Amino acid sequence: MWRYVHWVFLVCLTTTTFLNVGNAQLHPKNPATYQRLPSLREQAIILDHWRDERLSHIPELLKKHGVQAWLISQREYAEDTIWWSIKSAMEFAPHRRMVLFFHSNTSSLAGKPNPLRWVDNTGSVWTELLDILKEYNPQNIAINTDSNHAFGGGLHVGEFEALRENLGKKWTSRMVGKPKIGIEYVASRVSGQLQYYRSMQEITWALIEEAFSGRVIQPSVTTTEDVEWWYREKMQQQNLSTWNHPRVSVITPESFPGWSGTKDIINEGDLLHVDFGITAMGMNTDTQHMAYVLQTSQGETDAPRGLKEGLKKANRMQDIVLMHMKPGKTGNQVLRECLEQMKSEGIEGQIYSHPIGDWGHSAGAVMGFTNLPEYVPHYGELEILPNTYYSIELYAYHFVPERNETLRFRIEEDAYWVDEVRGWEFVRGRQEKFHLINWPSRGVENVLQVQQ
Ligand SMILES: *[C@@H]1O[C@H](CO)[C@@H](O)[C@H](O)[C@H]1NC(C)=O
Ligand SMILES: *[C@@H]1O[C@H](CO)[C@@H](O)[C@H](O)[C@H]1NC(C)=O
Ligand SMILES: *[C@@H]1O[C@H](CO)[C@@H](O)[C@H](O)[C@H]1NC(C)=O
């Protein structure tokens, strides 16, 4: 009876807790399946449409930051970082010298293409650009020379020299650094992206669910490195690429930050971790999950309670981050508030969350770095922007009595900004249960074994 009452109480508590956040903060009910993305030809149409929509916001972005023009100059293979976010889906490099001139679309340039664009290897671009500058007479011109922010600092030194030499003192003296233009442009999302981002998240989960199963892992035989390469090959088969080599490791009190996997043989009773992401349709995912290798030889059917408690603590930290992460606050402010709240709840751990989207580590405010747990210069001083994707990356420390050791429970999930009322939600829920590796699994052939 006591158990029954306790259970009812828990259910009520859980339902009310999650009422205001929908299902987005729960472990998805159904196993993930490999989603098919559109053909490359269809993707190109979709991507160019998104690109055009994002470009159409540049005039207002320039006005917001008080400039009348934004000049990007680059050569083939020495491109500005911004180029990757403004190119068409059928371009793979800015050929020869490519100069892009964004204007705030007022006065003489209203109605002209925005940006004006030159592809040149004869030097004629400079004459034509000078004519445009005379006609438009911008009082200031943003260029990407920031020394801290990559998305505002992609102008190569040689290109800057070429600009100075060919445009002369008058225009060079009107050049200003406004890194937030590039940062805010790269950070911006358009609404049509979400459905495909959801598919990408489901693919990411499908990969993890397959990797962390008896199909790929045979205890005492498979190594963490085998699993990493399984991910690489499987992504290739799924026509996906990645922005980071997958890192698979066995979690021990020592294993962190783990820039590479641990190269361990996976054994029964291990707590496994993966950190990886996929790249497709101009977007990236970044996810960390944990798995438990059941001690099947001893009849074990679930993860030890102490491990489950650790995962719960890390889930609570995710709630805390999403709760405090209000647009307009700086990354450092959010980080400080989260650390204070964790302290008041008796949680120890670390937060190192970052924007995601056009890049795995994309433009915008970060909240912590693994080596800068309390304050991040420059990147942490930026403001959280709405209408972006964020990767909520963190760990909770938890003492696991069954093992007599304190472990880091490391999880990461990608979130998107819904609206003022709902705030941030995870794109495909979050991990609240361990993936369980159950070997030998009846009727399942281990794919890595078959290959060897
Ligand atoms: C520029 O201005 C013209 C005319 O005012 C307008 O039709 C056009 O949509 C604008 N273009 C951009 C990219 O803002
Ligand atoms: C990958 O692309 C090839 C070639 O277009 C196609 O035949 C195959 O079905 C695709 N695989 C998946 C899983 O989408
Ligand atoms: C638990 O670990 C601590 C420190 O590592 C050690 O001193 C202690 O003896 C251990 N306790 C048990 C029950 O093994």
Side-chain angles (χ1 to χ4, degrees):
M1 186 59 196
W2 179 86
R3 267 192 184 171
Y4 175 71
V5 171
H6 187 66
W7 184 79
V8 168
F9 172 71
L10 261 185
V11 167
C12 295
L13 190 74
T14 318
T15 346
T16 39
T17 309
F18 289 121
L19 255 185
N20 40 4
V21 289
N23 288 325
Q25 321 302 68
L26 300 174
H27 196 105
K29 281 199 195 76
N30 300 320
T33 57
Y34 290 103
Q35 302 291 301
R36 261 193 111 81
L37 297 173
S39 71
L40 293 178
R41 194 172 183 171
E42 289 165 320
Q43 283 187 26
I45 295 167
I46 297 168
L47 293 181
D48 284 351
H49 176 76
W50 293 344
R51 195 268 320 248
D52 291 346
E53 192 178 333
R54 292 171 79 191
L55 284 181
S56 74
H57 296 304
I58 287 186
E60 49 190 277
L61 197 55
L62 298 188
K63 282 177 197 152
K64 177 179 170 192
H65 293 287
V67 295
Q68 294 179 339
W70 185 25
L71 183 60
I72 294 177
S73 185
Q74 58 211 328
R75 277 153 297 148
E76 191 170 9
Y77 311 133
E79 66 278 355
D80 190 307
T81 319
I82 295 294
W83 190 78
W84 298 100
S85 299
I86 57 183
K87 72 182 198 67
S88 99
M90 287 180 287
E91 286 180 305
F92 287 82
H95 289 172
R96 301 172 187 165
R97 164 169 282 124
M98 185 186 283
V99 176
L100 299 163
F101 185 77
F102 291 92
H103 51 88
S104 53
N105 196 21
T106 52
S107 67
S108 62
L109 295 191
K112 287 228 169 100
N114 203 352
L116 293 160
R117 165 179 158 137
W118 291 266
V119 177
D120 175 61
N121 60 358
T122 65
S124 66
V125 55
W126 305 124
T127 326
E128 291 174 29
L129 179 57
L130 277 168
D131 285 345
I132 289 290
L133 289 171
K134 266 177 224 146
E135 182 189 339
Y136 182 50
N137 194 26
Q139 297 309 299
N140 47 18
I141 306 163
I143 53 167
N144 297 333
T145 50
D146 195 77
S147 48
N148 293 306
H149 300 285
F151 303 104
L155 180 68
H156 286 239
V157 173
E159 281 306 283
F160 184 53
E161 286 306 319
L163 288 179
R164 267 222 301 231
E165 212 169 283
N166 291 287
L167 299 182
K169 217 172 176 172
K170 176 175 174 186
W171 301 110
T172 308
S173 68
R174 296 193 188 181
M175 292 176 182
V176 292
K178 288 280 177 189
K180 285 189 180 175
I181 295 174
I183 292 168
E184 290 178 23
Y185 174 71
V186 172
S188 67
R189 318 305 320 158
V190 296
S191 58
Q193 291 173 311
L194 184 60
Q195 86 179 86
Y196 297 101
Y197 201 46
R198 280 201 205 284
S199 298
M200 286 173 60
Q201 297 291 345
E202 181 157 359
I203 295 168
T204 305
W205 279 67
L207 285 160
I208 298 174
E209 286 168 17
E210 186 172 2
F212 282 161
S213 79
R215 268 180 58 74
V216 174
I217 293 173
Q218 180 180 352
S220 312
V221 175
T222 313
T223 67
T224 52
E225 220 173 4
D226 293 336
V227 182
E228 290 175 357
W229 287 106
W230 177 87
Y231 273 106
R232 288 292 301 275
E233 299 290 348
K234 185 75 183 193
M235 286 190 268
Q236 175 119 317
Q237 280 170 23
Q238 291 291 317
N239 302 325
L240 303 163
S241 59
T242 185
W243 57 280
N244 217 334
H245 186 74
R247 291 194 293 258
V248 178
S249 49
V250 176
I251 292 189
T252 63
E254 295 80 32
S255 66
F256 190 75
W259 297 121
S260 60
T262 51
K263 299 187 182 171
D264 289 321
I265 289 182
I266 296 168
N267 291 307
E268 285 193 352
D270 277 348
L271 181 60
L272 294 181
H273 176 262
V274 65
D275 181 358
F276 91 109
I278 62 171
T279 302
M281 296 186 76
M283 298 186 286
N284 297 276
T285 68
D286 195 4
T287 305
Q288 293 181 37
H289 280 192
M290 293 182 294
Y292 179 69
V293 190
L294 289 172
Q295 303 184 69
T296 315
S297 60
Q298 291 165 45
E300 195 180 40
T301 55
D302 199 359
R305 189 192 164 95
L307 293 182
K308 291 180 177 179
E309 294 296 325
L311 176 54
K312 247 187 218 156
K313 207 178 258 186
N315 284 148
R316 176 60 195 154
M317 281 178 64
Q318 291 175 320
D319 294 339
I320 291 175
V321 175
L322 292 191
M323 199 159 73
H324 287 284
M325 215 175 101
K326 295 268 186 290
K329 290 184 192 172
T330 68
N332 285 326
Q333 197 179 340
V334 175
L335 181 59
R336 200 167 47 243
E337 289 173 8
C338 291
L339 294 176
E340 275 163 19
Q341 175 141 6
M342 280 162 57
K343 202 170 172 192
S344 75
E345 296 185 20
I347 298 174
E348 279 183 62
Q350 204 183 311
I351 294 164
Y352 32 98
S353 302
H354 58 85
I356 187 162
D358 290 19
W359 301 89
H361 295 156
S362 202
V366 303
M367 291 160 282
F369 266 108
T370 49
N371 62 329
L372 299 171
E374 288 172 10
Y375 178 87
V376 180
H378 310 296
Y379 287 95
E381 286 160 17
L382 295 170
E383 286 171 359
I384 306 282
L385 300 167
N387 194 27
T388 56
Y389 295 137
Y390 258 92
S391 202
I392 308 304
E393 185 176 8
L394 47 81
Y395 70 74
Y397 275 120
H398 185 72
F399 176 75
V400 183
E402 294 91 334
R403 294 178 180 229
N404 190 28
E405 59 189 16
T406 299
L407 298 175
R408 293 177 181 89
F409 289 80
R410 299 160 58 191
I411 50 177
E412 178 173 20
E413 222 75 73
D414 300 335
Y416 74 108
W417 172 255
V418 188
D419 57 37
E420 291 292 336
V421 181
R422 281 160 67 188
W424 301 90
E425 288 184 4
F426 291 116
V427 180
R428 183 189 157 75
R430 67 172 175 196
Q431 180 179 30
E432 295 186 326
K433 299 184 286 214
F434 289 106
H435 302 281
L436 295 176
I437 294 148
N438 187 9
W439 173 267
S441 317
R442 255 170 156 347
V444 170
E445 244 178 328
N446 185 283
V447 288
L448 282 176
Q449 274 305 94
V450 172
Q451 281 164 10
Q452 278 159 9

